[in-house]
Amino acid sequence: QLINPLIDPLIDPLIKTPASLGVLPAGSGNDFASLLALPTFSHHGRVDAGALVRYFQEAPTRSVDVMHIQVTTPQHTHTLFGINSLGLGIEGAIAERIGRLSRWPGPTRYAVAALMELITHQPKAFVVQPIGSDHGIDQDFNQDVNRAPSASKRLLVSVGNGPRAGGGFLLNPTASIEDGRLDLCDVGAMPRWQQLYWLFQVYWGRHVRSSKVRLSQSPGWSIRCADGSPLHVDGELITHQAIEVRVSIQPQALQVVG
């Protein structure tokens, strides 16, 4: 079953049109908003509505990339757009759990959910393949183009249009919303004590030092999980059981303010 996303209906009508998207940093994570040059709209703890309106009327706009995502579950296939990131494996499971932790504030909620998932999460087997040009792709993905890729157990697979997810966690440190590529953070299975250690390193992007972490870039990615995996897009749980996700970049397809 697919859960109706909140971001997709806002983005879809604006793709490749002159209309611009204005982003208010009022979410639980604000990972995409942090990439925009947004001023502080509050004064003495209260939102200055006049300043907010003036900003969105007068501020310059810029073109950014968006993700076009095709999600297949055992029941059907669905397409949607995303602007910042998507994740499967423990990252998708964390998004599931976050929905039950509403009393915690944004980044703290993510950290608490992550710690709870580390106790019980079992890595699943994924097959990850690049789509499109091989320029910039990790050499491991191109060792033998005639050999079908094999499934291997992974802790998480994260695709980033932007560098951060979960309220500031730097999963894909080199990702940019304007470079026409999608960054992939692919983390292999590891003992739980290592998971705990590297979880705290992600906030500063230091997880890239682990031999279990592989970072790559491509215009698109195909991610398959025969057993099905929870999937989030831009922090929202999309489905509990994605068996295939195909995501491709649409360069400079959306105008945003900031």
Side-chain angles (χ1 to χ4, degrees):
Q1 180 181 358
L2 285 173
I3 300 166
N4 291 329
L6 296 176
I7 298 296
D8 175 69
L10 299 177
I11 300 174
D12 196 347
L14 302 179
I15 296 295
K16 297 182 179 178
T17 72
S20 299
L21 175 69
V23 180
L24 286 174
S28 59
N30 298 320
D31 294 299
F32 183 78
S34 69
L35 304 176
L36 306 177
L38 299 176
T40 300
F41 298 113
S42 60
H43 182 67
H44 297 301
R46 301 182 64 179
V47 174
D48 186 337
L52 187 153
V53 171
R54 286 193 298 274
Y55 174 79
F56 285 110
Q57 287 177 334
E58 301 170 1
T61 62
R62 59 197 280 204
S63 299
V64 301
D65 305 336
V66 298
M67 302 183 294
H68 182 260
I69 307 159
Q70 178 179 289
V71 182
T72 300
T73 70
Q75 288 77 35
H76 58 268
T77 297
H78 180 72
T79 60
L80 69 156
F81 289 100
I83 55 176
N84 187 60
S85 68
L86 65 82
L88 301 101
I90 195 171
E91 198 184 355
I94 289 169
E96 276 187 317
R97 191 174 289 273
I98 281 176
R100 305 192 293 271
L101 299 174
S102 57
R103 64 176 181 171
W104 295 86
T108 303
R109 187 189 312 173
Y110 186 94
V112 170
L115 288 170
M116 296 174 73
E117 279 301 322
L118 287 178
I119 298 172
T120 60
H121 184 76
Q122 297 295 327
K124 295 185 177 184
F126 289 88
V127 177
V128 181
Q129 290 179 278
I131 302 172
S133 169
D134 62 359
H135 180 67
I137 296 172
D138 188 306
Q139 191 63 33
D140 288 348
F141 283 106
N142 295 308
Q143 289 180 350
D144 187 349
V145 295
N146 296 315
R147 184 180 63 191
S150 59
S152 61
K153 287 194 174 182
R154 289 169 162 92
L155 182 63
L156 67 85
V157 181
S158 175
V159 177
N161 188 32
R164 296 186 180 273
F169 288 85
L170 200 56
L171 272 168
N172 286 287
T174 62
S176 168
I177 55 176
E178 297 170 299
D179 66 356
R181 296 181 184 176
L182 292 171
D183 286 46
L184 179 125
C185 178
D186 177 8
V187 182
M190 62 179 70
R192 294 195 191 281
W193 69 268
Q194 289 187 13
Q195 294 178 29
L196 182 61
Y197 172 78
W198 290 113
L199 169 66
F200 288 100
Q201 301 302 312
V202 174
Y203 196 83
W204 296 276
R206 297 173 186 159
H207 61 298
V208 301
R209 302 173 183 174
S210 170
S211 61
K212 295 289 187 178
V213 175
R214 178 171 58 179
L215 301 180
S216 306
Q217 291 182 321
S218 174
W221 295 97
S222 167
I223 307 163
R224 302 196 302 274
C225 180
D227 294 331
S229 169
L231 165 71
H232 86 80
V233 174
D234 293 332
E236 296 181 83
L237 180 67
I238 300 300
T239 179
H240 301 280
Q241 199 173 17
I243 58 175
E244 183 175 12
V245 176
R246 295 178 66 87
V247 53
S248 59
I249 197 74
Q250 294 207 358
Q252 301 184 347
L254 179 67
Q255 297 291 318
V256 297
V257 180

